Amino acid sequence: MSSASDRKEAEEFKASVSGTSDETVDLSREPSSQQTPIYEDIYLDGNIIQGLNPPIRLLERIGRGGEASVYRAEKISSFPTDVAVKVSRTDDASRVALLNEARRTKDLRHHTIIGIQDHHTGRDRDFIVMDFVEGPDAAKVLADHNNLGLQVAPQIPAFTAWAACEGLKVAHKPLYRDGNL
């Protein structure tokens, strides 16, 4: 970590996924008294979501909103894969919103739409496993340019808006009963 704020955020992340920042990760498949149960057969063990095949290791929180937090994560297997995991808050409205998002987007395929790989429902929260897309978010790019006194070329937001509209066009096409567009 390069700064005190980075170290503090890392400790907060560890505490948010494990209940304590000093807890060590036990890779056993059976929950112990130190493991935080999330779902009946799926539980958080330190920063590892066990009970999935393959298990998923939460690496860092990359976003937080009113209804969920998004983590960069890794499927633990002989061919590790980066994924994003969106974890709902514990209130019913957030859980229903996440379930609706998963249902509405699971069959959509387009290069501007993040693919949904899996959805899990648990006792007190739900989560979606999604494709992970590497890169900065638009707010960071704009802030970096602004801090340097630079302007963003108008073609960049224009292209971004066009790409978003292409994804929306796919999302709003009706699906027929067989799932085809």
Side-chain angles (χ1 to χ4, degrees):
M1 296 285 157
S2 60
S3 71
S5 64
D6 289 341
R7 284 190 295 279
K8 183 175 188 257
E9 185 170 333
E11 289 302 314
E12 287 174 359
F13 166 75
K14 286 171 69 178
S16 74
V17 298
S18 67
T20 174
S21 59
D22 296 327
E23 187 171 317
T24 58
V25 176
D26 174 11
L27 297 177
S28 67
R29 298 285 294 172
E30 297 298 317
S32 72
S33 61
Q34 294 179 340
Q35 296 165 335
T36 307
I38 302 177
Y39 314 102
E40 295 301 324
D41 58 340
I42 299 169
Y43 55 92
L44 188 61
D45 181 4
N47 65 336
I48 309 288
I49 302 173
Q50 297 284 6
L52 301 178
N53 188 14
I56 294 176
R57 175 184 295 118
L58 301 177
L59 301 173
E60 66 177 318
R61 186 173 56 216
I62 56 175
R64 181 176 19 187
E67 295 183 342
S69 291
V70 179
Y71 296 89
R72 184 173 67 87
E74 174 184 60
K75 286 186 176 180
I76 304 170
S77 68
S78 56
F79 298 104
T81 306
D82 283 346
V83 293
V85 178
K86 189 172 194 177
V87 181
S88 73
R89 292 174 27 152
T90 56
D91 61 279
D92 289 340
S94 296
R95 295 182 72 191
V96 167
L98 195 71
L99 176 61
N100 287 336
E101 177 183 344
R103 285 182 178 158
R104 290 182 179 135
T105 59
K106 71 179 178 59
D107 295 323
L108 297 178
R109 300 290 179 265
H110 191 265
H111 67 275
T112 63
I113 298 174
I114 305 283
I116 302 292
Q117 297 181 12
D118 213 346
H119 171 265
H120 294 279
T121 299
R123 279 184 251 153
D124 64 346
R125 63 182 71 228
D126 295 14
F127 70 89
I128 298 174
V129 179
M130 306 177 290
D131 296 338
F132 178 74
V133 178
E134 185 71 45
D137 63 31
K140 179 164 178 23
V141 171
L142 293 174
D144 290 348
H145 276 73
N146 189 38
N147 290 340
L148 295 172
L150 302 173
Q151 291 186 339
V152 175
Q155 294 88 343
I156 293 174
F159 176 78
T160 303
W162 172 82
C165 289
E166 287 295 305
L168 286 170
K169 186 167 61 174
V170 169
H172 289 280
K173 278 186 180 178
L175 287 177
Y176 297 100
R177 286 184 181 238
D178 63 0
N180 293 318
L181 293 176

